Amino acid sequence: MSSINGYNNEFNFVLELNNKSIKELSPLFRDLIDSVFPNENEDSIIKCWCNHLPQKSDILVKINKRIRGISIKKGIKNSVHVEPISEFISFLITNNIERDCIIDYLKFHYADGTTNGKGIVRISTDEYKKENQKSIDKINLELNSNEILLKKAIERFILKGTNSTYSIAALVYGEVDDFLFITAEDIVKIIMSKKDTYSSAVHFSTLTVQPKNRCLNHNPLYEKDRFCVQIKWYSIFDDIIENMYLKSQHLRDIS
């Protein structure tokens, strides 16, 4: 991937799509649009613009009267969601996660001997795991054994967020001349298929849960980040590739 920043990358996608007919698109973009807007007339004109609201859709695409949102990611160690820890804990409580599990998560999150982040001595994630892996494993067992909770987590962290009125239709990974994509439906399928995969980190399937910053050196510039939960989809590229392979196998089997 190049060094182009995220906003410019999104704008480049807008330039590739806006005011073009479907039939004018390159094969890769045609495949994307056909997946998001099935059965559209190829003479239809596309309208596309950046979404400047803090929502999951980075760009919005309109064909005739239908509008679809698309999320765009690039690079490595992709963050897909950030929210205050208070909102994350509220999400867990609302979905009937056990109190002991929530307390264990708070201890992991702050890693300072407290459940409110007011401890003086802070340790790294690796250090915390050395003494508390069994506790983390118990958290993961509860988070990943409930399929309804997992689907809600996928919607919250990737598809819809907490402040959107509708979900994204697809997620694009890459840049205009070299990208992969996955539809919202397939995002749910691929992540749900990995709910039993072991990870030593706190996670919802392939989505890793962590503090935005542990701020081990007490730097005041990053202190507020200790009170935010960050969701990372580290395996995003591999999962999209796997989904593409599974779909190609399915098409081969039914042909």
Side-chain angles (χ1 to χ4, degrees), residues 143-197:
L143 296 185
N144 290 276
S145 60
N146 185 329
E147 290 195 1
I148 294 175
L149 171 63
L150 274 176
K151 288 178 179 178
K152 287 182 178 179
I154 295 167
E155 181 177 80
R156 184 182 186 90
F157 302 146
I158 301 177
L159 301 182
K160 189 174 181 180
T162 57
N163 57 356
S164 300
T165 55
Y166 51 85
S167 298
I168 62 169
L171 183 148
V172 166
Y173 178 80
E175 301 177 6
V176 291
D177 57 352
D178 182 19
F179 70 87
L180 308 171
F181 73 90
I182 182 170
T183 64
E185 180 182 5
D186 286 337
I187 288 172
V188 175
K189 287 180 181 177
I190 197 68
I191 293 179
M192 291 301 294
S193 74
K194 297 176 179 293
K195 65 184 180 65
D196 296 323
T197 302

Coordinates of all heavy atoms in Angstrom, one line a residue, residues 143-197:
L143 N -18.2 -14.0 25.7 CA -18.5 -13.1 24.6 C -18.7 -13.9 23.3 O -19.5 -13.5 22.4 CB -17.2 -12.2 24.4 CG -16.9 -11.2 25.5 CD1 -15.8 -10.3 25.0 CD2 -18.1 -10.4 25.9
N144 N -18.1 -15.1 23.1 CA -18.2 -15.8 21.9 C -19.1 -17.0 21.8 O -19.3 -17.6 20.8 CB -16.8 -16.2 21.5 CG -15.9 -15.1 21.1 OD1 -15.9 -14.6 20.0 ND2 -15.1 -14.6 22.0
S145 N -19.7 -17.3 22.9 CA -20.7 -18.4 23.0 C -22.1 -18.0 22.7 O -23.0 -18.8 22.6 CB -20.6 -19.1 24.4 OG -21.0 -18.2 25.4
N146 N -22.3 -16.7 22.6 CA -23.7 -16.1 22.3 C -23.7 -15.6 20.9 O -23.2 -14.5 20.6 CB -24.0 -15.1 23.4 CG -25.4 -14.5 23.3 OD1 -26.0 -14.5 22.2 ND2 -25.9 -14.1 24.4
E147 N -24.4 -16.3 20.0 CA -24.4 -15.8 18.6 C -25.2 -14.5 18.4 O -24.8 -13.7 17.6 CB -25.0 -16.9 17.7 CG -24.1 -18.1 17.6 CD -24.5 -19.0 16.4 OE1 -25.5 -18.7 15.7 OE2 -23.8 -20.1 16.2
I148 N -26.2 -14.3 19.2 CA -27.0 -13.1 19.1 C -26.1 -11.9 19.5 O -26.1 -10.9 18.8 CB -28.2 -13.2 20.0 CG1 -29.2 -14.2 19.5 CG2 -28.9 -11.8 20.1 CD1 -30.4 -14.4 20.4
L149 N -25.3 -12.1 20.6 CA -24.4 -11.0 21.0 C -23.4 -10.7 19.9 O -23.1 -9.6 19.6 CB -23.7 -11.4 22.3 CG -22.6 -10.5 22.8 CD1 -23.1 -9.1 23.0 CD2 -21.9 -11.1 24.0
L150 N -22.8 -11.8 19.3 CA -21.8 -11.6 18.3 C -22.3 -10.9 17.1 O -21.7 -10.0 16.6 CB -21.3 -13.0 17.8 CG -20.2 -13.6 18.6 CD1 -19.9 -15.0 18.1 CD2 -18.9 -12.8 18.6
K151 N -23.5 -11.2 16.7 CA -24.1 -10.4 15.5 C -24.4 -9.0 15.9 O -24.2 -8.1 15.0 CB -25.4 -11.1 15.1 CG -25.1 -12.5 14.4 CD -26.4 -13.2 14.0 CE -26.1 -14.5 13.3 NZ -27.4 -15.2 12.9
K152 N -24.8 -8.7 17.1 CA -24.9 -7.3 17.6 C -23.6 -6.6 17.6 O -23.5 -5.4 17.3 CB -25.6 -7.3 18.9 CG -27.1 -7.6 19.0 CD -27.6 -7.5 20.4 CE -29.1 -7.9 20.4 NZ -29.7 -7.8 21.8
A153 N -22.5 -7.3 18.0 CA -21.2 -6.7 18.0 C -20.7 -6.4 16.6 O -20.1 -5.3 16.4 CB -20.2 -7.7 18.7
I154 N -20.9 -7.3 15.7 CA -20.6 -7.0 14.3 C -21.3 -5.8 13.8 O -20.7 -4.9 13.1 CB -20.8 -8.2 13.4 CG1 -20.0 -9.4 13.8 CG2 -20.6 -7.9 11.9 CD1 -20.4 -10.7 13.2
E155 N -22.6 -5.7 14.1 CA -23.3 -4.5 13.6 C -22.8 -3.2 14.3 O -22.6 -2.2 13.6 CB -24.8 -4.7 13.9 CG -25.7 -3.5 13.5 CD -27.1 -3.7 13.8 OE1 -27.6 -3.5 14.9 OE2 -27.9 -4.1 12.8
R156 N -22.5 -3.3 15.5 CA -22.1 -2.1 16.3 C -20.7 -1.7 15.8 O -20.4 -0.5 15.7 CB -22.1 -2.4 17.8 CG -21.7 -1.3 18.7 CD -21.7 -1.8 20.1 NE -21.5 -0.7 21.1 CZ -22.5 0.1 21.6 NH1 -23.7 -0.1 21.3 NH2 -22.2 1.0 22.5
F157 N -19.8 -2.6 15.7 CA -18.4 -2.3 15.5 C -18.0 -2.1 14.0 O -17.0 -1.4 13.7 CB -17.5 -3.4 16.0 CG -17.7 -3.7 17.5 CD1 -17.5 -4.9 18.0 CD2 -18.0 -2.6 18.4 CE1 -17.7 -5.2 19.4 CE2 -18.2 -2.8 19.7 CZ -18.1 -4.1 20.2
I158 N -18.7 -2.7 13.1 CA -18.3 -2.7 11.6 C -19.5 -2.1 10.7 O -19.2 -1.2 9.9 CB -17.9 -4.1 11.1 CG1 -16.8 -4.6 11.9 CG2 -17.5 -4.0 9.6 CD1 -16.3 -6.0 11.5
L159 N -20.6 -2.7 10.9 CA -21.7 -2.4 9.9 C -22.4 -1.1 10.1 O -22.7 -0.4 9.2 CB -22.7 -3.6 9.9 CG -22.1 -4.9 9.5 CD1 -23.2 -6.0 9.5 CD2 -21.4 -4.9 8.2
K160 N -22.8 -0.8 11.3 CA -23.7 0.3 11.6 C -23.2 1.3 12.6 O -23.4 2.5 12.4 CB -25.1 -0.2 12.1 CG -26.1 0.9 12.1 CD -27.5 0.2 12.5 CE -28.6 1.3 12.5 NZ -29.9 0.7 12.9
G161 N -22.5 0.9 13.6 CA -22.0 1.8 14.6 C -23.0 2.2 15.6 O -24.1 1.5 15.7
T162 N -22.8 3.3 16.3 CA -23.8 3.7 17.3 C -24.5 5.0 16.9 O -25.4 5.4 17.7 CB -23.1 4.0 18.6 OG1 -22.0 4.9 18.4 CG2 -22.4 2.7 19.1
N163 N -24.2 5.6 15.7 CA -24.8 6.8 15.4 C -25.2 6.9 13.9 O -25.3 8.0 13.3 CB -23.9 8.0 15.7 CG -22.5 7.9 15.0 OD1 -22.3 6.9 14.3 ND2 -21.7 8.9 15.2
S164 N -25.5 5.7 13.3 CA -25.9 5.7 11.9 C -27.4 5.2 11.9 O -27.8 4.4 12.7 CB -25.0 4.8 11.1 OG -23.7 5.2 11.1
T165 N -28.1 5.6 10.8 CA -29.5 5.1 10.7 C -29.5 3.8 9.8 O -30.6 3.2 9.8 CB -30.3 6.2 10.0 OG1 -29.7 6.6 8.8 CG2 -30.5 7.4 10.9
Y166 N -28.4 3.5 9.1 CA -28.4 2.3 8.3 C -27.0 1.7 8.3 O -26.1 2.4 8.5 CB -29.0 2.6 6.9 CG -28.3 3.7 6.2 CD1 -27.1 3.5 5.5 CD2 -28.9 5.0 6.2 CE1 -26.5 4.6 4.9 CE2 -28.3 6.1 5.6 CZ -27.1 5.9 4.9 OH -26.5 6.9 4.3
S167 N -27.0 0.4 7.9 CA -25.7 -0.3 7.8 C -25.0 0.0 6.5 O -25.6 0.4 5.5 CB -25.9 -1.8 8.0 OG -26.5 -2.0 9.3
I168 N -23.7 -0.3 6.5 CA -22.9 -0.2 5.3 C -23.4 -1.4 4.4 O -23.9 -2.4 4.9 CB -21.4 -0.3 5.5 CG1 -21.0 -1.6 6.2 CG2 -20.9 0.9 6.3 CD1 -19.5 -1.9 6.2
A169 N -23.2 -1.2 3.1 CA -23.5 -2.3 2.1 C -22.3 -3.2 1.9 O -22.4 -4.3 1.5 CB -24.0 -1.7 0.8
A170 N -21.1 -2.6 2.0 CA -19.9 -3.3 1.7 C -18.7 -2.6 2.4 O -18.8 -1.4 2.7 CB -19.6 -3.4 0.2
L171 N -17.6 -3.4 2.6 CA -16.4 -2.8 3.1 C -15.3 -3.0 2.0 O -15.1 -4.2 1.5 CB -16.0 -3.5 4.4 CG -14.7 -3.0 5.1 CD1 -14.8 -3.1 6.6 CD2 -13.4 -3.7 4.6
V172 N -14.6 -2.0 1.6 CA -13.5 -2.0 0.7 C -12.2 -2.0 1.4 O -12.0 -1.2 2.3 CB -13.6 -0.8 -0.3 CG1 -12.3 -0.7 -1.1 CG2 -14.8 -1.0 -1.3
Y173 N -11.2 -2.8 1.0 CA -9.9 -2.8 1.6 C -8.9 -2.5 0.5 O -8.7 -3.3 -0.5 CB -9.6 -4.1 2.2 CG -8.2 -4.2 2.8 CD1 -7.9 -3.6 4.1 CD2 -7.1 -4.8 2.2 CE1 -6.6 -3.6 4.6 CE2 -5.9 -4.8 2.7 CZ -5.6 -4.2 3.9 OH -4.4 -4.2 4.4
G174 N -8.2 -1.3 0.5 CA -7.2 -1.0 -0.5 C -7.4 0.3 -1.1 O -8.0 1.2 -0.5
E175 N -6.8 0.5 -2.3 CA -6.9 1.8 -3.0 C -7.5 1.6 -4.4 O -7.7 0.4 -4.8 CB -5.4 2.4 -3.1 CG -4.8 2.6 -1.7 CD -3.4 3.1 -1.8 OE1 -2.9 3.4 -2.9 OE2 -2.7 3.2 -0.8
V176 N -7.8 2.7 -5.1 CA -8.6 2.6 -6.3 C -8.0 1.6 -7.3 O -8.7 1.0 -8.1 CB -8.8 3.9 -6.9 CG1 -9.7 4.8 -6.0 CG2 -7.5 4.7 -7.1
D177 N -6.7 1.5 -7.4 CA -6.1 0.6 -8.4 C -5.7 -0.8 -7.9 O -5.2 -1.6 -8.6 CB -4.8 1.3 -9.0 CG -3.8 1.6 -7.9 OD1 -4.1 1.5 -6.7 OD2 -2.6 2.0 -8.3
D178 N -6.1 -1.0 -6.6 CA -5.8 -2.3 -6.1 C -6.5 -2.5 -4.8 O -6.1 -2.2 -3.7 CB -4.2 -2.4 -5.8 CG -3.8 -3.8 -5.2 OD1 -4.6 -4.8 -5.4 OD2 -2.8 -3.9 -4.6
F179 N -7.7 -3.1 -4.9 CA -8.6 -3.3 -3.7 C -9.4 -4.6 -3.8 O -9.6 -5.2 -4.8 CB -9.5 -2.1 -3.5 CG -10.6 -2.0 -4.5 CD1 -11.8 -2.6 -4.3 CD2 -10.5 -1.1 -5.6 CE1 -12.9 -2.5 -5.2 CE2 -11.5 -1.0 -6.6 CZ -12.7 -1.7 -6.4
L180 N -9.8 -5.0 -2.6 CA -10.7 -6.1 -2.4 C -11.9 -5.5 -1.7 O -11.9 -4.5 -1.1 CB -10.1 -7.2 -1.5 CG -8.7 -7.7 -1.8 CD1 -8.2 -8.6 -0.7 CD2 -8.7 -8.5 -3.1
F181 N -13.0 -6.3 -1.8 CA -14.2 -5.8 -1.1 C -15.0 -7.0 -0.6 O -14.8 -8.2 -1.1 CB -15.1 -4.9 -1.9 CG -15.9 -5.7 -3.0 CD1 -17.1 -6.2 -2.8 CD2 -15.3 -5.8 -4.3 CE1 -17.8 -6.9 -3.8 CE2 -16.0 -6.5 -5.3 CZ -17.3 -7.0 -5.0
I182 N -15.8 -6.8 0.4 CA -16.7 -7.8 1.0 C -18.0 -7.2 1.3 O -18.0 -6.0 1.9 CB -16.0 -8.4 2.2 CG1 -16.8 -9.5 2.8 CG2 -15.6 -7.4 3.3 CD1 -16.1 -10.4 3.9
T183 N -19.1 -7.8 1.0 CA -20.4 -7.3 1.3 C -20.7 -7.4 2.8 O -20.1 -8.2 3.5 CB -21.5 -8.0 0.5 OG1 -21.6 -9.4 0.9 CG2 -21.2 -7.9 -1.0
A184 N -21.7 -6.7 3.3 CA -22.1 -6.7 4.7 C -22.6 -8.1 5.1 O -22.2 -8.6 6.1 CB -23.3 -5.7 4.9
E185 N -23.3 -8.8 4.2 CA -23.8 -10.1 4.4 C -22.6 -11.1 4.7 O -22.6 -11.9 5.6 CB -24.6 -10.6 3.3 CG -25.2 -12.0 3.5 CD -26.0 -12.5 2.3 OE1 -26.1 -11.8 1.3 OE2 -26.6 -13.6 2.4
D186 N -21.6 -10.9 3.8 CA -20.4 -11.8 3.9 C -19.5 -11.5 5.1 O -18.8 -12.4 5.6 CB -19.6 -11.8 2.6 CG -20.3 -12.6 1.5 OD1 -21.1 -13.4 1.8 OD2 -20.0 -12.3 0.3
I187 N -19.5 -10.2 5.5 CA -18.8 -9.9 6.7 C -19.4 -10.7 7.9 O -18.6 -11.2 8.7 CB -18.9 -8.4 7.0 CG1 -18.1 -7.6 6.0 CG2 -18.5 -8.0 8.4 CD1 -18.2 -6.1 6.1
V188 N -20.7 -10.7 8.0 CA -21.3 -11.4 9.1 C -20.9 -12.9 9.0 O -20.6 -13.5 10.0 CB -22.8 -11.2 9.1 CG1 -23.5 -12.1 10.2 CG2 -23.2 -9.8 9.3
K189 N -21.0 -13.5 7.8 CA -20.8 -14.9 7.7 C -19.3 -15.3 8.0 O -19.1 -16.2 8.8 CB -21.0 -15.3 6.2 CG -22.5 -15.4 5.8 CD -22.6 -15.8 4.4 CE -24.1 -15.8 4.0 NZ -24.2 -16.2 2.5
I190 N -18.3 -14.5 7.6 CA -16.9 -14.9 7.8 C -16.6 -14.7 9.3 O -15.8 -15.5 9.8 CB -16.0 -14.1 6.8 CG1 -14.6 -14.8 6.8 CG2 -15.9 -12.6 7.2 CD1 -14.6 -16.1 6.1
I191 N -17.1 -13.6 9.9 CA -16.7 -13.4 11.3 C -17.4 -14.4 12.2 O -16.8 -15.0 13.1 CB -17.1 -12.0 11.7 CG1 -16.2 -11.0 11.0 CG2 -16.9 -11.8 13.2 CD1 -16.4 -9.5 11.3
M192 N -18.7 -14.7 11.9 CA -19.4 -15.7 12.7 C -18.7 -17.1 12.5 O -18.8 -17.9 13.5 CB -20.9 -15.8 12.3 CG -21.7 -14.6 12.6 SD -21.7 -14.2 14.4 CE -22.6 -15.7 15.0
S193 N -18.2 -17.4 11.4 CA -17.6 -18.7 11.1 C -16.3 -18.9 12.0 O -15.9 -20.1 12.2 CB -17.2 -18.9 9.7 OG -16.1 -18.1 9.3
K194 N -15.8 -17.8 12.6 CA -14.5 -17.9 13.3 C -14.7 -17.7 14.8 O -13.8 -17.4 15.6 CB -13.5 -16.9 12.8 CG -13.1 -17.2 11.3 CD -12.2 -16.2 10.8 CE -11.8 -16.5 9.4 NZ -10.9 -17.7 9.3
K195 N -16.0 -17.8 15.3 CA -16.3 -17.5 16.7 C -15.6 -18.5 17.7 O -15.4 -18.1 18.8 CB -17.8 -17.5 16.9 CG -18.5 -18.9 16.7 CD -20.0 -18.7 16.9 CE -20.7 -20.1 16.7 NZ -20.4 -21.0 17.7
D196 N -15.2 -19.7 17.2 CA -14.6 -20.6 18.1 C -13.1 -20.7 17.9 O -12.4 -21.5 18.6 CB -15.1 -22.0 17.8 CG -16.6 -22.1 18.1 OD1 -17.1 -21.5 19.1 OD2 -17.3 -22.8 17.4
T197 N -12.5 -19.7 17.2 CA -11.0 -19.7 17.0 C -10.4 -19.1 18.3 O -10.8 -18.0 18.7 CB -10.7 -18.8 15.8 OG1 -11.3 -19.4 14.6 CG2 -9.2 -18.7 15.6

